[in-house]
Amino acid sequence: MAMAGRSGLVAGRRFFLGGSSGSCTWMRGLSSWWKNVEPAPKDPILGVTEAFLSDPSPDKVNVGVGAYRDDNGKPVVLECVREAERRIAGSANMEYLPMGGSVKMVEETLKLAYGEDSVFLKDKRVAAVQALSGTGACRLFADFQRRFRPESQIYIPVPTWANHHNIWRDAHVPQQTYHYYHAESRGLDFSALMDDVKNAPNGSFFLLHACAHNPTGVDPTEEQWREISQLIKAKGHFPFFDMAYQGFASGDPERDAKSIRIFLEDGHAIGIAQSYAKNMGLYGQRVGCLSVLCEDEKQAVVVKSQLQQLARPMYSNPPLHGALIVTTILSDPDLKQLWLKEVKMMADRIIGMRAALRENLENLGSTLSWKHITNQIGMFCYSGMTPEQVDRLTKEFHIYMTRNGRISMAGVTTGNVGYLANAIHEVTKSG
Amino acid sequence: MDSVFSHVVQAPEDPILGVTVAYNKDNSPAKLNLGVGAYRTEEGKPVVLDVVRKAEQILVSDSKRVKEYLPIVGLAEFNKLSAKLILGADSPAIQENRVTTVQCLSGTGSLRVGGEFLGRHYHERTIYIPQPTWGNHPKVFTLAGLSVKYYRYYDPSTRGLDFQGLLEDLSSAPSGAVVLLHACAHNPTGVDPTPEQWEQIRQLIRSKQLLPFFDSAYQGFASGSLDADAQSVRSFVADGGECLVAQSYAKNMGLYGERVGALSIVCKSADVASRVESQLKLVIRPMYSNPPIHGASIVATILKDSDMYHAWTIELKAMADRIISMRHQLFEALKARGTPGDWSHIIKQIGMFTFTGLNSEQVAFMTKEYHIYLTSDGRISMAGLSSKTVPHLADAIHAAVTKAS
């Protein structure tokens, strides 16, 4: 029988056989359980920053990972966030959130995606849970899709954020791809996209980037979105939106949610993954939301209960701190205004850097077309450079980006845009 | 619009968290929540440790702090300090770089990530878990891709450990099977093996080449001593063998909602540990990319500062002592009422929970008539009791046990 208060009873005592060095003689002969474990490949995106950090060159530029930088190349904590944290520290307790997360945070977050006066929110038709940023929201949805539509497939655009493939694969959902990026025009391959939507079996699940497509920065126009919506409806497909950049793309959150609003008007029952990593700069706090629009309030309660069943054996309940920050900001009109201003500033700086990079390249006399730099939107620019050209940029110029030629515009500053343009020109001018 | 999910049925309430939901709906002023294991003060209030508040202030006042993504494996400093906390600062396994530690979302997240790793890379897909165990364990491991079997643990007739049954069941497990062990303060029973019994368990596990997976959710919280509560884990690591350990800071640092924990895998060699770590990243990235920074930063701030660490051990011991005191008060109260039965298990069991031995009818009776909320397996969270509420609970138990069935 175990006794309470047994401190000191076992301190310093050893129970094993033999060996003054402290390990069991007979254990030494056994090999590791893990000797067959292969070293895993490095994450292509996060590996870029690791390489950047180890580079001693004073000229080095990091346009790899999609985390915002100010014009001095420094990470930013928004003023509204600092103020929210000042209010939170010392005041809140740290009790468990419910499995579905902070109710208040989810409420405010849904307003951003569905619209402040959305009839779906009034009618309580949206099943929603707080999730671990965009990744966690996508993963919960993928697990939910697997559990309740096990016969379904997910259609993923080419290209897409690499982790999308990992997420649906780990959820054991079979994947297909659909055409998206048109290499020659560095724009949208609209007709091929529509063909793929048409040819997919009815009732397929489609992953759509709501705005600021990652990695290409190429978004459909409003008119194109309407056509995509009509065709998806005709085919009975399920639209799942990954919205990681609301506010960050155009500077206006309402405008960036346009694709979602079109689909809602057209009567789709959608799902949405939302993230505050970029638009509130809460990267490491892991704050996001997964929502699924249901037929009615009753079904929304049911679906939410099932989403919670998936969260419980993964992490029980989501982290508190980031949710408190979001709630503090969005439920205070002044802080919310400040946030909107700061988001617009970030988006405007990026739009300005796009213009500057394009101008620099054109002024250098590049014969190639660089108008895609300003046509594309959001954090990333799909430069069109080949992996070999990217390798040269890294080796010769200490410029770090992913090998698909994706430039994180957030890493571009007035201080490095000239250097960057020059380097890009050097590696592309012969090709 | 037709939903593609219209066939989905309502999930049952989580049995543990559902207790709090029911408690919140009750309007009685006498209501008592002894369901979920979150510490409460004598006044029944949740607690944020002073040392945690201090760490919070340090963090919020540091204008140089940013909110960037952590690496996939989490905050490096936190990982190192967590490994030292559970394994001991002088652990040879740490010195030899044979331990990989990754930050995860509290105990649940650490168990899930460890389980997923085992499901992909370990040759045996069966995990043995004690009967009974925390309600979420079977779900975590099943979703991780393992098949769950039980080994005997609790003996209702003695309200203690079914040691013979445990040894028999582990002896008949296939070689290499994974065995889940509660490092201390078994949840829900509060029944722990003695040091001598732990030694026998260790020898059996090693002789059958079973793989131990420790769930350490109460280090420091059980006896009041961080080192004593880690002895089971340390004795396994001392014998040179491999194991997994899931750590949680939810209770012992009161960081519940911040979801702070760590998974450590102790390997035979540094090379193996490094390969294992790379594979853990592949489990984590498609789950949530990287762990939340806030809670881990608080923990690291405290553990690396010797004054704050010391202050923490004092607050931790005070929590453990209050719980031990509640055990004694409840035991005395039942004795005073002459409640039939042997209630000594209340003071013999350890940690946050007491497995009262009450059955589900008795539990339902206590909820209905006395507004006392506990899980239907008869588990009460001692942390939810105070000197003021012990009499009410004793009355309820007495009534439940003596009423005509």
Side-chain angles (χ1 to χ4, degrees):
Chain A
M1 213 70 81
M3 304 296 288
R6 48 193 176 132
S7 47
L9 213 116
V10 293
R13 287 187 62 193
R14 305 283 198 186
F15 291 107
F16 49 86
L17 318 161
S20 55
S21 63
S23 56
C24 248
T25 324
W26 61 266
M27 288 295 306
R28 283 194 204 114
L30 296 174
S31 58
S32 170
W33 298 122
W34 317 118
K35 62 179 193 287
N36 297 322
V37 172
E38 297 277 309
K42 274 195 177 304
D43 184 280
I45 302 172
L46 304 178
V48 168
T49 296
E50 279 180 30
F52 168 82
L53 289 170
S54 336
D55 185 332
S57 163
D59 300 324
K60 64 181 181 178
V61 175
N62 186 359
V63 284
V65 82
Y68 183 79
R69 296 282 176 270
D70 64 14
D71 201 46
N72 296 313
K74 296 272 176 283
V76 160
V77 177
L78 302 188
E79 257 317 299
C80 61
V81 169
R82 288 234 184 266
E83 175 54 29
E85 285 208 302
R86 277 191 284 269
R87 294 186 196 179
I88 291 164
S91 67
N93 64 45
M94 290 170 178
E95 295 289 280
Y96 292 124
L97 281 174
M99 279 184 283
S102 158
V103 169
K104 198 76 187 60
M105 188 218 89
V106 167
E107 247 173 52
E108 292 296 330
T109 302
L110 295 180
K111 286 186 197 163
L112 286 176
Y114 292 82
E116 188 106 14
D117 301 314
S118 163
V119 62
F120 306 115
L121 298 182
K122 283 199 183 59
D123 293 347
K124 300 194 167 115
R125 285 174 53 186
V126 181
V129 294
Q130 180 184 338
L132 292 154
S133 210
T135 309
C138 285
R139 176 59 181 270
L140 270 189
F141 183 78
D143 282 349
F144 179 73
Q145 179 186 353
R146 173 66 189 168
R147 182 170 278 188
F148 292 103
R149 300 302 311 205
E151 76 296 346
S152 70
Q153 300 185 102
I154 183 82
Y155 279 74
I156 294 181
V158 179
T160 194
W161 179 48
N163 206 24
H164 279 143
H165 292 289
N166 299 333
I167 290 169
W168 268 271
R169 179 204 63 218
D170 275 17
H172 308 290
V173 175
Q175 321 183 1
Q176 299 288 341
T177 56
Y178 66 91
H179 286 85
Y180 191 85
Y181 179 67
H182 190 244
E184 290 77 53
S185 63
R186 294 184 176 114
L188 184 67
D189 194 347
F190 185 59
S191 56
L193 184 159
M194 293 294 272
D195 280 343
D196 286 345
V197 172
K198 188 152 125 257
N199 294 330
N202 288 6
S204 299
F205 282 59
F206 271 77
L207 172 67
L208 305 163
H209 295 225
C211 65
H213 181 273
N214 176 1
T216 69
V218 170
D219 284 351
T221 62
E222 188 176 318
E223 192 38 56
Q224 287 172 329
W225 273 124
R226 291 193 188 283
E227 287 189 53
I228 294 168
S229 170
Q230 287 302 317
L231 183 55
I232 284 185
K233 195 165 170 194
K235 295 285 304 181
H237 294 327
F238 184 95
F240 183 73
F241 285 95
D242 185 355
M243 183 157 68
Y245 300 98
Q246 187 183 12
F248 215 97
S250 68
D252 176 359
E254 279 297 293
R255 204 166 128 196
D256 289 345
K258 190 68 189 169
S259 60
I260 288 176
R261 306 290 171 83
I262 287 170
F263 275 66
L264 291 173
E265 275 163 34
D266 288 351
H268 295 272
I270 63 177
I272 310 178
Q274 287 171 269
S275 167
Y276 286 103
K278 287 78 166 175
N279 63 10
M280 232 185 242
L282 294 178
Y283 307 93
Q285 304 290 336
R286 320 311 293 130
V287 210
C289 178
L290 167 65
S291 60
V292 178
L293 175 59
C294 301
E295 281 166 345
D296 52 34
E297 183 179 349
K298 204 157 135 253
Q299 198 200 35
V301 168
V302 164
V303 167
K304 181 177 168 176
S305 76
Q306 291 293 352
L307 293 174
Q308 290 178 172
Q309 286 287 305
L310 292 162
R312 176 60 160 154
M314 203 186 279
Y315 48 81
S316 282
N317 37 71
L320 175 63
H321 192 70
L324 284 177
I325 295 175
V326 172
T327 308
T328 303
I329 292 171
L330 294 185
S331 53
D332 176 323
D334 291 332
L335 279 184
K336 185 169 179 181
Q337 278 316 303
L338 175 55
W339 172 57
L340 291 170
K341 213 174 96 194
E342 292 188 274
V343 167
K344 186 165 193 319
M345 263 171 46
M346 291 194 287
D348 284 347
R349 193 184 88 69
I350 284 176
I351 290 167
M353 286 301 101
R354 288 183 177 277
L357 181 59
R358 174 179 167 185
E359 209 183 298
N360 270 270
L361 282 162
E362 288 169 352
N363 289 345
L364 283 165
S366 174
T367 53
L368 304 168
S369 167
W370 296 103
K371 63 181 200 297
H372 55 286
I373 295 181
T374 47
N375 284 343
Q376 291 166 7
I377 191 169
M379 199 177 283
F380 303 109
C381 165
Y382 224 41
S383 60
M385 285 186 288
T386 64
E388 294 71 38
Q389 289 168 333
V390 171
D391 289 343
R392 278 191 64 196
L393 279 182
T394 307
K395 248 173 75 151
E396 297 172 33
F397 295 93
H398 307 276
I399 293 173
Y400 290 82
M401 65 176 74
T402 46
R403 290 185 87 235
N404 55 9
R406 182 192 85 164
I407 300 175
S408 172
M409 295 307 296
V412 181
T413 67
T414 51
N416 66 26
V417 66
Y419 178 76
L420 180 61
N422 185 62
I424 292 175
H425 181 57
E426 280 302 307
V427 308
T428 57
K429 66 186 181 187
S430 47
Chain B
M1 129 226 320
D2 274 345
S3 169
V4 299
F5 297 116
S6 49
H7 60 294
V8 175
V9 295
Q10 176 96 12
E13 278 280 6
D14 181 280
I16 302 172
L17 304 177
V19 169
T20 297
V21 170
Y23 167 85
N24 287 336
K25 294 195 178 115
D26 187 329
N27 291 318
S28 161
K31 67 178 180 176
L32 188 55
N33 188 357
L34 301 179
V36 81
Y39 183 81
R40 294 286 177 268
T41 62
E42 255 291 310
E43 293 71 42
K45 296 268 175 291
V47 150
V48 177
L49 301 187
D50 286 341
V51 74
V52 167
R53 285 275 182 239
K54 187 151 169 233
E56 257 195 321
Q57 281 305 323
I58 291 173
L59 295 175
V60 84
S61 325
D62 183 356
S63 54
K64 293 196 308 304
R65 282 188 63 78
V66 292
K67 299 212 167 302
E68 298 289 282
Y69 293 122
L70 283 177
I72 298 174
V73 298
L75 189 62
E77 198 179 39
F78 166 83
N79 289 337
K80 283 193 173 56
L81 291 162
S82 295
K84 285 201 182 139
L85 183 65
I86 186 68
L87 301 179
D90 54 355
S91 168
I94 293 179
Q95 277 154 21
E96 291 158 20
N97 287 317
R98 294 193 285 113
V99 184
T100 169
T101 304
V102 297
Q103 180 191 339
C104 292
L105 279 101
S106 210
T108 307
S110 306
L111 292 165
R112 176 64 179 267
V113 169
E116 293 265 346
F117 171 77
L118 292 173
R120 289 168 203 211
H121 296 284
Y122 187 58
H123 62 91
E124 251 296 329
R125 293 279 146 74
T126 311
I127 182 164
Y128 282 75
I129 66 181
Q131 178 74 272
T133 193
W134 181 46
N136 205 20
H137 276 143
K139 299 191 194 100
V140 169
F141 292 117
T142 304
L143 286 200
L146 302 175
S147 76
V148 169
K149 285 202 153 70
Y150 288 87
Y151 61 90
R152 278 170 284 170
Y153 192 83
Y154 179 69
D155 183 351
S157 60
T158 60
R159 290 181 180 131
L161 184 65
D162 180 358
F163 192 48
Q164 273 314 116
L166 182 158
L167 291 176
E168 272 170 36
D169 289 347
L170 292 188
S171 295
S172 57
S175 173
V178 187
V179 180
L180 180 74
L181 301 161
H182 295 224
C184 69
H186 180 272
N187 177 2
T189 68
V191 169
D192 284 352
T194 62
E196 291 73 30
Q197 288 170 329
W198 267 122
E199 171 55 14
Q200 277 191 260
I201 293 169
R202 185 194 63 78
Q203 285 187 20
L204 173 61
I205 283 180
R206 293 312 194 194
S207 70
K208 296 229 44 173
Q209 295 176 48
L210 303 175
L211 178 64
F213 194 156
F214 284 96
D215 185 354
S216 175
Y218 299 99
Q219 186 186 5
F221 212 98
S223 68
S225 156
L226 289 158
D227 287 326
D229 289 348
Q231 269 314 309
S232 59
V233 175
R234 292 181 190 178
S235 69
F236 275 73
V237 174
D239 71 15
E242 297 178 315
C243 66
L244 292 84
V245 189
Q247 270 172 288
S248 167
Y249 289 95
K251 286 79 165 175
N252 63 9
M253 245 192 231
L255 292 174
Y256 307 93
E258 301 295 351
R259 319 311 292 130
V260 209
L263 168 71
S264 286
I265 301 187
V266 180
C267 307
K268 277 277 169 188
S269 71
D271 170 64
V272 169
S274 144
R275 283 184 273 133
V276 165
E277 182 169 300
S278 73
Q279 292 293 346
L280 289 174
K281 287 172 163 176
L282 294 194
V283 168
I284 293 169
R285 176 62 159 154
M287 214 185 260
Y288 50 84
S289 283
N290 40 70
I293 187 170
H294 190 68
S297 305
I298 292 176
V299 172
T301 302
I302 293 170
L303 293 183
K304 72 183 185 191
D305 176 305
S306 56
D307 289 337
M308 291 182 78
Y309 179 90
H310 182 68
W312 173 49
T313 61
I314 293 179
E315 287 190 88
L316 182 51
K317 186 165 191 316
M319 289 197 287
D321 285 347
R322 194 182 90 66
I323 285 176
I324 290 168
S325 156
M326 289 302 102
R327 290 182 176 280
H328 286 276
Q329 287 187 32
L330 180 60
F331 176 71
E332 294 301 324
L334 290 170
K335 216 163 88 174
R337 285 159 179 69
T339 308
D342 176 4
W343 298 98
S344 61
H345 55 285
I346 293 178
I347 48 177
K348 286 176 184 155
Q349 292 167 5
I350 189 169
M352 198 177 280
F353 303 109
T354 291
F355 226 38
T356 55
L358 297 163
N359 60 44
S360 53
E361 287 92 48
Q362 291 166 326
V363 169
F365 169 83
M366 284 168 55
T367 305
K368 191 155 171 280
E369 304 299 327
Y370 286 81
H371 305 274
I372 296 183
Y373 290 82
L374 62 156
T375 46
S376 59
D377 56 5
R379 181 192 88 163
I380 52 176
S381 170
M382 303 307 291
L385 272 180
S386 70
S387 314
K388 285 190 267 302
T389 54
V390 160
H392 181 59
L393 175 61
D395 288 340
I397 293 176
H398 187 86
V401 165
T402 55
K403 72 176 173 68
S405 25

